Amino acid sequence: MPLISMKKMLKDAQKRNYAIGSFNAINLDMVRGIIEAAEEENSPVIICHAEVHFQYTPLGKIAPILINEAQDADVPVAVLLDHGKTFSSIMKAMQLGFNGIMFDGSRLSLAENIEKTAEIVKIAHELDVSVEAELGHVSRPEGGGAEDDEDAAKEEHERLHTKPGQVSEFVEKTGVDCLAVAFGTAHGIYLSEPQLDFDRLAQLKEATDVPLVMHGGSGLSEEEFQKSIDKGICKVNYYTGMAFKATNDIKEKLNQTQENVYYHDMMMWSIESFKKDVRESLRRFDSNDKV
Ligand SMILES: [Zn+2]
């Protein structure tokens, strides 16, 4: 089916109290695992590619794969540029046919984040492309990396939490379709137990009608996901857990197998692993049977 608008998907999720999974896909195996999972769960899904992953798969090489697989799917799929940092990669993604982009201005001052996000929204909306922005800052880049000092890292996370008082101004001045917020989650692998600030999340939801987005979903418990969705999260980004699990599954299979293993065996194992993890995630987000 044709690509489905992320904005439309998230509005339905908001109305019916579930979350759409947004999964980073850096190659065809990942895309196949994600889309097969969504089809088996009868769930809408977002497939995305993050600017920080361009070093593994350039945008121009992955775009036709993501778009083609999305159009071939039997369930609604949106194709999103994740954590777009530069104006040129955002423009290129739209040119290549992505129907959603995230502009990550979370490291900028509030005024600059508003100005740059608004500029991108103006162009994107002319082209019918949905826009996600980030207010506050979810720490650590996609793909891992760890801060050395745990306490300093924690303090830093708290300082960067989204401030409810800034939300309505941000949304009004930029016109974004959904908003990534920081309330205690972190990208990559958690160094200590995540401390999610649900009171803050409830206040953020109170401050705006636009769907809220959670980044850094790898490693949260079932209850934490459920509570986050109940308090207003309509989109969950997920990558790290899926990437680790696939490697561990392959390691285990290699250790168990006595016969010759070919590259295509590993390829099929990885697709199976991605699929299993994504199916579980979609059920966790309650987006199964929502098509
Ligand atoms: Zn993220």
Side-chain angles (χ1 to χ4, degrees), residues 17-237:
N17 196 37
Y18 64 93
I20 304 277
S22 182
F23 302 91
N24 293 80
I26 60 169
N27 65 13
L28 178 61
D29 304 342
M30 289 188 118
V31 189
R32 284 176 64 190
I34 296 162
I35 290 188
E36 282 174 25
E39 287 176 335
E40 284 173 24
E41 291 299 328
N42 199 27
S43 167
V45 74
I46 298 168
I47 47 176
C48 57
H49 192 54
E51 189 158 343
V52 74
H53 290 157
F54 290 3
Q55 59 183 312
Y56 312 122
T57 318
L59 182 61
K61 293 199 190 296
I62 197 81
I65 296 172
L66 295 182
I67 291 160
N68 188 48
E69 292 300 306
Q71 286 169 337
D72 267 358
D74 295 332
V75 290
V77 183
V79 179
L80 171 76
L81 173 72
D82 188 30
H83 288 280
K85 301 257 187 200
T86 59
F87 189 74
S88 70
S89 57
I90 289 168
M91 292 303 120
K92 192 172 173 196
M94 292 197 271
Q95 208 172 29
L96 288 166
F98 281 52
N99 72 336
I101 56 113
M102 178 205 184
F103 169 61
D104 181 354
S106 63
R107 281 297 196 186
L108 304 173
S109 69
L110 177 64
E112 267 182 302
N113 194 0
I114 290 176
E115 190 194 325
K116 294 221 159 107
T117 304
E119 188 185 0
I120 285 159
V121 168
K122 201 171 160 195
I123 300 166
H125 281 181
E126 282 297 323
L127 300 169
D128 228 3
V129 170
S130 310
V131 182
E132 173 182 343
E134 182 166 328
L135 183 62
H137 178 73
V138 179
S139 305
R140 279 190 271 150
E142 301 285 355
E147 277 125 3
D148 294 332
D149 182 339
E150 227 176 85
D151 287 339
K154 224 178 189 177
E155 220 171 87
E156 179 76 344
H157 287 175
E158 274 157 32
R159 190 178 65 77
L160 296 169
H161 282 177
T162 311
K163 295 174 180 60
Q166 295 179 344
V167 170
S168 73
E169 182 195 1
F170 187 88
V171 169
E172 215 167 281
K173 287 190 174 161
T174 59
V176 280
D177 302 301
C178 61
L179 188 63
V181 290
F183 63 101
T185 59
H187 285 122
I189 295 290
Y190 283 92
L191 299 171
S192 54
E193 280 288 295
Q195 302 288 330
L196 303 191
D197 185 347
F198 289 112
D199 291 340
R200 181 182 300 267
L201 180 58
Q203 289 167 27
L204 295 170
K205 185 191 179 187
E206 198 59 39
T208 183
D209 286 339
V210 302
L212 301 180
V213 178
M214 175 203 278
H215 284 242
S218 297
L220 299 186
S221 68
E222 299 273 336
E223 294 73 39
E224 284 167 326
F225 275 118
Q226 198 47 59
K227 212 167 164 188
S228 301
I229 293 167
D230 284 342
K231 301 250 179 207
I233 292 297
C234 302
K235 170 177 178 278
V236 177
N237 277 41

